[in-house]
Amino acid sequence: MKAGRSMMSMEEASKRRPFFTSPDELYDEEYYEKQSPEKKHRLSSEQVHLLEKSFEEENKLEPERKTQLAKKLGLQPRQVAVWFQNRRARWKTKQLERDFDVLKSSYDTLLSSYDSIMKENEKLKSEVVSLNEKLQVQAKEVPEEPLCDKKVDPIPVDEDMAPIFGTRVEDHLSSGSVGSAVVDEGSPQVVVDSVDSYILADNYGGCVGPVERVQSEEEDGSDDGRSYLDVFVVSETEHQNHEEGETLGWWTNMYYVG
DNA sequence: TTGTGTTTTATTGCCTCC
DNA sequence: GGAGGCAATAAAACACAA
């Protein structure tokens, strides 16, 4: 509502509507019959005030209350009913605006939370990427470090597994640690491309030794469908010695299954 | 003064309830 | 079927800027 309109005094109202001098006169059906059908009559501020008070008490209008209000305000019961009708419509519109504001506020709060969570997520992601890169760099540096910096655990071959592994070991270790290993074809872990090739056998606990000699199946003389390799295994120390011209280690036999 | 936007009053048509 | 409520709408009343 624009300023000034609802603040119109009774005096001003009476100037605009000089026909009424009392509520009884206002409640005169003949007045409405005399008015041109297009004319609309603004209620006075007093009438509006009373209607508002009544609306606050109860926004629905029972017939009895409608009649009483109409008499009190000098209006047609129909006018009172229409006023309540329109007032309910205005209240509903305002209520929708209030609901919208509440929802919008809630939405803004959620959006803000979402944004900060997303930022945190991005930060964590970049941390993961950074850490992965560091890991890769470290992984590349490993071959340059001592080749056997951890203890070599014996390959767990129990009696049941022995026929499958078909290990033929010429174990030169007095300690009884690893002397042979089977290399699965699914994960080629033996690289033989030169005399100085290294066995990349995880089964040796990371210990890598240069391949001194390769014995083929034919050379081995076996006919069980397996490909045998005679491999010279060296320890870290032995590898270092080998680099210096000495070769200390032991021969063992490995074969591919299948 | 006038054009324009807003508010208020009133009507119409449809729907629900008793 | 009548009474009453509601949504949509018309139109008058009003405020205000240019």
Side-chain angles (χ1 to χ4, degrees):
Chain A
M1 183 187 293
K2 290 186 179 177
R5 175 132 34 107
S6 63
M7 303 305 284
M8 182 174 63
S9 67
M10 282 290 278
E11 190 181 4
E12 287 170 324
S14 63
K15 280 178 187 172
R16 295 177 191 282
R17 297 168 57 180
F19 307 99
F20 307 127
T21 54
S22 70
D24 285 337
E25 284 175 307
L26 281 165
Y27 192 62
D28 180 3
E29 290 191 27
E30 285 185 13
Y31 163 73
Y32 295 96
E33 287 167 5
K34 286 173 188 170
Q35 300 303 303
S36 57
E38 303 87 25
K39 286 292 176 186
K40 296 191 177 185
H41 311 94
R42 293 264 162 156
L43 304 179
S44 71
S45 56
E46 289 293 325
Q47 288 170 320
V48 170
H49 180 69
L50 249 168
L51 286 164
E52 285 287 356
K53 265 182 73 177
S54 184
F55 183 84
E56 280 176 23
E57 291 169 10
E58 175 65 56
N59 71 346
K60 286 285 176 67
L61 200 58
E62 307 83 41
E64 193 179 343
R65 196 156 72 103
K66 180 170 69 181
T67 309
Q68 285 177 352
L69 261 174
K71 277 217 165 197
K72 197 173 178 180
L73 295 166
L75 297 170
Q76 290 284 335
R78 172 67 184 160
Q79 281 182 290
V80 175
V82 165
W83 188 91
F84 267 72
Q85 198 93 288
N86 290 321
R87 186 66 183 79
R88 280 195 294 269
R90 287 197 292 271
W91 182 88
K92 192 177 178 181
T93 303
K94 289 283 178 189
Q95 187 61 40
L96 280 172
E97 288 173 3
R98 282 191 290 269
D99 290 347
F100 173 80
D101 287 342
V102 170
L103 283 171
K104 188 175 184 302
S105 170
S106 179
Y107 170 78
D108 288 343
T109 305
L110 276 173
L111 190 63
S112 174
S113 300
Y114 175 79
D115 284 344
S116 48
I117 287 170
M118 287 303 286
K119 280 178 186 168
E120 179 69 16
N121 190 29
E122 288 302 316
K123 188 181 161 190
L124 290 170
K125 273 183 182 174
S126 63
E127 271 184 44
V128 167
V129 169
S130 170
L131 289 170
N132 271 333
E133 284 170 356
K134 282 180 183 173
L135 272 176
Q136 285 174 0
V137 167
Q138 283 183 351
K140 284 177 183 172
E141 286 171 352
V142 163
E144 296 171 9
E145 291 172 1
L147 294 168
C148 291
D149 57 349
K150 53 183 176 181
K151 286 188 175 178
V152 178
D153 294 321
I155 299 174
V157 179
D158 56 32
E159 292 180 7
D160 293 333
M161 294 293 283
I164 301 171
F165 277 70
T167 308
R168 299 196 321 193
V169 179
E170 296 167 38
D171 193 351
H172 298 272
L173 284 179
S174 58
S175 65
S177 43
V178 176
S180 69
V182 62
V183 182
D184 193 297
E185 66 173 354
S187 54
Q189 294 169 297
V190 175
V191 177
V192 182
D193 56 10
S194 75
V195 168
D196 288 327
S197 297
Y198 288 89
I199 298 171
L200 305 176
D202 284 344
N203 288 345
Y204 279 79
C207 180
V208 180
V211 176
E212 295 289 338
R213 159 167 81 93
V214 175
Q215 183 183 41
S216 69
E217 181 181 342
E218 289 76 20
E219 289 170 336
D220 184 61
S222 64
D223 57 356
D224 56 1
R226 297 164 178 162
S227 299
Y228 287 91
L229 296 175
D230 277 343
V231 179
F232 191 79
V233 178
V234 296
S235 69
E236 177 190 348
T237 308
E238 289 160 345
H239 169 72
Q240 287 170 334
N241 289 338
H242 175 75
E243 294 290 311
E244 291 163 2
E246 298 178 35
T247 302
L248 297 172
W250 66 91
W251 280 97
T252 188
N253 186 273
M254 303 178 72
Y255 67 86
Y256 293 104
V257 178

